[in-house]
Amino acid sequence: MKREEPNTTPEILNELSREIGGLMLSSRIRELLEAGIHSSEVDQIHLTTDRLTGLPKIEDVVEFLRPESSYADRTQRPFTYIHADLVFLKAFNDDLNYAAGNEALVKAARLLESFKRPYDALGRIYGDEFGLVMRDMDTKDAEARMKQMMSESERVILYERPLLISAGFGTYAPRSGIAGINQAKESAEEMHKINKKLFHERYSHLNRRK
């Protein structure tokens, strides 16, 4: 029996876009549909892909880091985990609208992607938070990368306000096991909180509704 070709007309694609909240499908899923990939296979991608940003979903940070720790153990090279978030997502949502907030999240994802190398891993945790694993990176390089990331986010202007991504990092030492994974995660989250607070203080006017 001949397999029925999926309907990939613009009308169908637009209908799918509406079904996920009026947002455009991620470019990757659109490419798959246009290439004739069956809809059931695309559904499987939806289970592990954040529909707004097109990034993988991170359900559990420790599990997200575990494969990279195995690689680090084998190669005896550290990796860095960067925890990042969109500082003023609530201000985008409250002062403008949720569409503006979604646009800001997508821009944040694209900015973070620009720091990702082919062998790194980036995903969306939930809400305004993201996780980035950078292979073969020690503390010195990680700090420089984190500062560059936050600095560039200040230069991205959306609706006459800076995007602002706060970040923190933790480094996994080879053969440190689950304790090392948790330490990298907790260090990244704690540093991120400090940097987020600094952004809030520096840009406190963005929290005041007009």
Side-chain angles (χ1 to χ4, degrees):
M1 182 177 177
K2 185 178 178 181
R3 176 180 169 180
E4 182 179 351
E5 294 296 325
N7 187 340
T8 57
T9 63
E11 290 78 12
I12 294 297
L13 292 173
N14 289 336
E15 180 62 26
L16 285 169
S17 293
R18 286 192 291 272
E19 288 177 2
I20 61 174
L23 302 167
M24 293 299 292
L25 291 169
S26 73
S27 59
R28 179 58 181 152
I29 293 174
R30 179 175 285 271
E31 288 169 4
L32 290 171
L33 286 169
E34 291 176 342
I37 302 299
H38 194 269
S39 61
S40 63
E41 296 172 73
V42 174
D43 287 341
Q44 290 301 311
I45 294 170
H46 276 317
L47 293 176
T48 56
T49 302
D50 175 58
R51 293 180 177 183
L52 176 62
T53 64
L55 297 177
K57 294 178 183 177
I58 301 177
E59 303 289 350
D60 185 308
V61 173
V62 171
E63 291 306 313
F64 178 64
L65 299 180
R66 198 182 294 274
E68 195 60 37
S69 70
S70 298
Y71 177 86
D73 292 344
R74 291 196 307 272
T75 61
Q76 290 296 290
R77 292 285 299 160
F79 74 78
T80 286
Y81 170 62
I82 293 179
H83 186 92
D85 88 354
L86 182 58
V87 177
F88 288 116
L89 175 60
K90 188 176 187 301
F92 277 106
N93 288 336
D94 291 349
D95 296 347
L96 300 166
N97 51 53
Y98 283 99
N102 286 338
E103 187 177 349
L105 282 167
V106 171
K107 280 194 175 292
R110 299 293 82 81
L111 177 61
L112 293 170
E113 273 186 331
S114 71
F115 287 89
K116 176 184 172 294
R117 301 162 299 179
Y119 42 84
D120 295 329
L122 171 66
R124 184 180 178 191
I125 301 171
Y126 54 80
D128 52 7
E129 299 187 354
F130 301 86
L132 173 61
V133 176
M134 307 199 81
R135 179 175 289 184
D136 295 338
M137 184 169 289
D138 58 21
T139 300
K140 182 179 178 180
D141 290 339
E143 183 175 11
R145 192 62 59 93
M146 179 197 70
K147 288 180 177 178
Q148 183 185 4
M149 185 182 295
M150 293 193 295
S151 177
E152 289 195 15
S153 77
E154 291 185 86
R155 294 194 290 271
V156 176
I157 304 301
L158 181 65
Y159 298 107
E160 301 182 344
R161 62 184 69 193
L163 189 64
L164 299 181
I165 295 174
S166 66
F169 73 89
T171 302
Y172 173 85
R175 299 193 181 282
S176 58
I178 188 65
I181 292 175
N182 282 319
Q183 183 176 353
K185 171 181 177 291
E186 291 166 8
S187 296
E189 290 172 350
E190 285 304 311
M191 189 182 299
H192 147 260
K193 289 177 183 177
I194 293 170
N195 287 327
K196 184 171 185 175
K197 182 179 179 181
L198 292 173
F199 266 145
H200 271 284
E201 292 172 354
R202 192 184 313 167
Y203 293 93
S204 59
H205 60 285
L206 295 181
N207 266 339
R208 298 172 189 160
R209 298 192 63 175
K210 299 178 181 179

